[in-house]
């Protein structure tokens, strides 16, 4: 390990993150009774400009009055380029009591954006004697944000997670796509001829691979959770599953749900399966035995395992324990 120790953000289960527009009060109770690990009540892109003042009131009332169970509760504020953002922070934090855990900052472009919100939140916490320290979820969804992601991820001790906002990222980079997340039929390669007939295959690639990988690295280098963003086609569970699995394979530990139907998918896909946990425990046990007999490596099922295998296996076991503890 490096001499520099990476402090992990507070441990939270964050497999599914449900977005709920702050203007749609009729959705609140259902969201509260559902199974999302995290809910963000939205003041930003799902709320029309004229509805923002009322949405703030709705969110404050909902945080104070609805039983949200053991969910982590977040509020997505408006971007720092708007005139809504300061009131979002002040009104919500002054009115919402202790049930709010996180503030989600959209379209973060520079470390100074995070610093500015941190300053505001810190003043309100002091002035109001708030005991519970608010954490930050940061959406990386602009070219500027992706360029500055390393500084952004390190910008505040409040930072807990980085989220990939695929729709705004596509807009900001002027990518040729109008779907929210998912594959793009333009993004692929044509193989060389595969046989004597000259047949060639067009193989689709994942056009978001770089962005997700970059985000995972910046998040993990700073002890933060890496969370994949929205998948717009809520009638396509298979498409959602594929996107979530490839995000999990790269190191994300959760994904947004823009519809309740996506919550059980995320909860299942980002939970280690029984078989994975069993295998992880076998690896740890086999390495313990190897160590006891003075060896630093061993063979398990015909494959090499060593101390790095313990660290890989512990990721799975710790996540399973955290999920079990959440209940
Ligand atoms: C989320 O905010 C997105 O832009 O995808
Ligand atoms: Mg966005």
């Amino acid at each position: 390990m490096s001499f520099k120790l990476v402090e992990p953000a507070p441990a939270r289960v964050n497999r599914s993150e449900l977005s709920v527009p702050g203007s749609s009060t009729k959705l609140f109770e259902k969201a509260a009774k559902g199974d999302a690990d995290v809910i963000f009540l939205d003041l930003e892109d799902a709320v029309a400009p004229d509805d923002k003042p009322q949405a703030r009131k709705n969110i404050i009332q909902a945080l104070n009055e609805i039983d949200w169970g053991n969910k982590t509760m977040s509020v997505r504020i408006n971007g720092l380029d708007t005139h809504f953002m300061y009131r979002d922070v002040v009104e919500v934090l002054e009115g919402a009591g202790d049930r709010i855990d996180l503030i989600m900052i959209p379209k973060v472009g520079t470390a100074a954006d995070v610093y500015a919100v941190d300053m505001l939140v810190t003043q309100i916490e002091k002035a109001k004697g708030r005991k519970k320290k608010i954490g930050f979820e940061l959406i990386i969804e602009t070219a500027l944000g992706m360029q500055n992601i390393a500084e952004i991820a390190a910008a505040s001790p409040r930072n807990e997670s980085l989220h990939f906002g695929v729709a705004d990222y596509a807009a900001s980079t002027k990518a040729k796509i109008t779907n929210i997340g998912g594959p793009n039929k333009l993004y692929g390669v044509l193989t060389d001829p595969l046989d004597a007939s000259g047949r060639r295959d067009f193989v689709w690639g994942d056009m978001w691979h770089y962005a997700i990988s970059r985000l995972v690295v910046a998040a993990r280098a700073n002890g933060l959770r890496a969370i994949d963003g929205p998948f717009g086609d809520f009638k396509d569970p298979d498409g959602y599953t594929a996107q979530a699995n490839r995000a999990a394979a790269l190191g994300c530990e959760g994904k947004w749900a823009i519809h309740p139907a996506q919550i059980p998918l995320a909860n299942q896909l980002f939970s280690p399966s029984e078989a994975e946990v069993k295998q992880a425990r076998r690896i740890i046990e086999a390495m313990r035995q190897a160590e006891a007999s003075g060896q630093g490596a061993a063979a398990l099922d015909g494959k090499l395992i060593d101390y790095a295998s313990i660290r890989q296996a512990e990721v799975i076991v710790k996540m399973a324990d955290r999920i079990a503890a959440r209940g």
Side-chain angles (χ1 to χ4, degrees):
M1 295 293 171
S2 166
F3 187 58
K4 179 181 162 72
L5 294 180
V6 175
E7 279 294 318
R12 294 183 198 274
V13 178
N14 201 164
R15 298 164 300 177
S16 52
E17 177 134 359
L18 179 68
S19 62
V20 181
S23 44
S24 303
T25 49
K26 60 183 189 310
L27 302 179
F28 289 1
E29 285 286 354
K30 190 173 174 210
K33 291 199 177 78
D35 286 327
D37 292 330
V38 183
I39 293 178
F40 76 82
L41 301 169
D42 194 13
L43 286 169
E44 200 220 12
D45 278 354
V47 178
D50 288 349
D51 293 343
K52 306 246 188 218
Q54 184 58 45
R56 284 187 203 116
K57 292 196 182 87
N58 298 341
I59 287 175
I60 291 166
Q61 189 178 2
L63 285 167
N64 283 323
E65 293 178 9
I66 291 178
D67 178 4
W68 298 97
N70 64 353
K71 293 177 175 52
T72 294
M73 296 303 298
S74 179
V75 174
R76 179 163 76 167
I77 60 174
N78 285 280
L80 278 81
D81 59 324
T82 71
H83 61 278
F84 301 116
M85 172 268 183
Y86 80 101
R87 277 202 177 280
D88 293 344
V89 178
V90 174
E91 286 188 24
V92 169
L93 281 193
E94 289 196 348
D98 260 355
R99 195 54 191 83
I100 177 170
D101 302 291
L102 305 169
I103 281 183
M104 174 181 264
I105 312 176
K107 300 179 183 66
V108 178
T110 68
D113 287 345
V114 181
Y115 187 84
V117 181
D118 192 351
M119 179 272 292
L120 197 51
V121 169
T122 302
Q123 288 201 21
I124 300 166
E125 281 181 347
K126 281 212 182 107
K128 293 287 156 188
R130 291 183 64 92
K131 298 272 177 308
K132 187 164 157 185
K133 185 173 164 194
I134 294 292
F136 287 166
E137 306 185 285
L138 311 175
I139 316 184
I140 302 300
E141 51 183 345
T142 61
L144 185 63
M146 192 58 82
Q147 176 173 272
N148 294 323
I149 192 166
E151 294 79 20
I152 289 169
S156 166
R158 295 184 190 274
N159 288 357
E160 289 201 13
S161 53
L162 298 184
H163 299 241
F164 181 50
V166 63
D168 272 304
Y169 186 74
S172 172
T173 53
K174 303 201 191 302
K176 203 170 171 189
I177 186 168
T178 49
N179 290 344
I180 298 184
N184 182 346
K185 65 174 189 262
L186 297 178
Y187 194 80
V189 291
L190 194 62
T191 64
D192 287 346
L194 295 168
D195 54 30
S197 76
R199 183 173 64 87
R200 303 172 78 183
D201 281 350
F202 181 77
V203 183
W204 291 38
D206 176 10
M207 70 177 280
W208 312 115
H209 177 86
Y210 166 77
I212 301 267
S213 299
R214 184 75 196 85
L215 181 138
V216 167
V217 170
R220 299 308 188 189
N222 290 278
L224 314 182
R225 298 184 292 279
I227 308 294
D228 193 19
F231 181 76
D233 188 351
F234 55 84
K235 296 221 170 85
D236 180 10
D238 292 344
Y240 183 91
T241 298
Q243 293 297 298
N245 274 337
R246 67 80 162 96
L250 289 173
C252 288
E253 62 189 79
K255 182 165 175 62
W256 288 17
I258 50 99
H259 187 279
Q262 295 176 336
I263 297 170
L265 297 174
N267 286 351
Q268 192 221 321
L269 297 164
F270 288 97
S271 301
S273 67
E274 259 178 50
E276 285 162 341
V277 177
K278 197 169 156 209
Q279 179 64 4
R281 291 197 198 283
R282 280 184 75 221
I283 291 171
I284 294 168
E285 183 50 35
M287 273 305 296
R288 279 213 188 101
Q289 284 177 16
E291 193 173 36
S293 59
Q295 281 157 351
L300 183 66
D301 305 329
K303 292 185 198 143
L304 173 85
I305 55 170
D306 65 10
Y307 284 109
S309 310
I310 298 186
R311 290 189 282 274
Q312 285 181 292
E314 275 175 353
V315 170
I316 292 170
V317 171
K318 279 186 188 152
M319 182 56 77
D321 288 349
R322 199 181 294 165
I323 291 165
R326 184 178 182 278

